[in-house]
Amino acid sequence: MVDSFASLTDSLPVYESLAASVRRLIDATIRTEVDHDAIAAATAKIDSVTAELSAELMPGTFGEREVDDGQGIASGNVVIGVRNPSAPPLVVHHESDGSVWTEFNLGAAFEGPVGHVHGGVSALILDHVLGATAHRPGKPAYTGTLTLRYHKPTPLRQPLRADAWVDRIEGVKTFAVGQISGAGGVMVSAEGIFIHPRR
């Protein structure tokens, strides 16, 4: 068991490497064509590793932890979490004008229509990047509504970019817009209203 703040902080790259390995495992699990014996052997190894990792588990979710060990609460986030193998993960860049952007490439784990990104995954990404424009230090914003328009299929395994910016602010509401684009132009566009709860 890790027993000091310094050793926990020093081990952050280890957790990120583990998540990256599991992402590769997910992709290989979907795409493998090895024989059944090899699959059975791999399953036994994976179950053994899962048992090892399960020897000490935090209660609840990553964001619910009560300890401060130097890992941000977003490390478990499904979009940007470096410890979450289900996340791409995205790196969101913030510009001085309040706009945000991220570049990414989605593989087999995110497939919906054959060879293309699932529409719900596009919604997930746009919800996050639009929300990132509305967040302020110490003042989180929550999704009120999110409206999407799917212009064309979003391809898997190709460079993609998501951009978002604030359209206007009315009281506790921030109106944000954004899009996912690639070599073929804009694939998905979105408009959202994000709410800053009154304290």
Side-chain angles (χ1 to χ4, degrees):
M1 181 176 180
V2 182
D3 58 5
S4 74
F5 178 83
S7 57
L8 278 163
T9 303
D10 291 344
S11 67
L12 295 183
V14 175
Y15 291 115
E16 294 179 21
S17 294
L18 172 62
S21 290
V22 176
R23 286 185 195 105
R24 291 191 295 274
L25 174 63
I26 291 169
D27 187 79
T29 298
I30 295 168
R31 299 169 58 214
T32 187
E33 293 186 334
V34 300
D35 63 39
H36 291 180
D37 289 341
I39 291 174
T43 300
K45 291 175 188 174
I46 293 166
D47 287 345
S48 175
V49 170
T50 300
E52 283 185 56
L53 294 175
S54 299
E56 292 185 41
L57 296 174
M58 64 182 70
T61 68
F62 195 88
E64 294 174 321
R65 295 170 317 137
E66 295 181 357
V67 297
D68 181 2
D69 58 9
Q71 300 181 75
I73 59 171
S75 293
N77 184 281
V78 72
V79 180
I80 62 171
V82 294
R83 284 191 60 170
N84 187 340
S86 299
L90 301 186
V91 176
V92 179
H93 303 275
H94 295 258
E95 299 296 339
S96 58
D97 62 0
S99 64
V100 303
W101 61 274
T102 181
E103 294 177 332
F104 55 99
N105 192 315
L106 299 174
F110 303 97
E111 187 171 41
V114 176
H116 294 89
V117 178
H118 191 290
V121 173
S122 297
L124 177 74
I125 290 170
L126 284 166
D127 179 47
H128 190 91
V129 295
L130 267 68
T133 68
H135 285 289
R136 299 289 177 264
K139 193 176 180 185
Y142 298 90
T143 308
T145 63
L146 184 67
T147 304
L148 290 94
R149 180 178 177 196
Y150 295 88
H151 302 271
K152 59 181 71 173
T154 303
L156 290 170
R157 310 183 78 82
Q158 292 187 23
L160 298 170
R161 178 178 169 120
D163 292 273
W165 55 95
V166 171
D167 180 58
R168 66 188 188 280
I169 298 172
E170 296 178 2
V172 297
K173 298 179 180 180
T174 297
F175 295 76
V177 294
Q179 62 189 32
I180 293 175
S181 58
V186 175
M187 281 80 181
V188 189
S189 58
E191 300 177 356
I193 301 174
F194 295 84
I195 312 297
H196 293 281
R198 298 186 189 278
R199 295 194 179 277

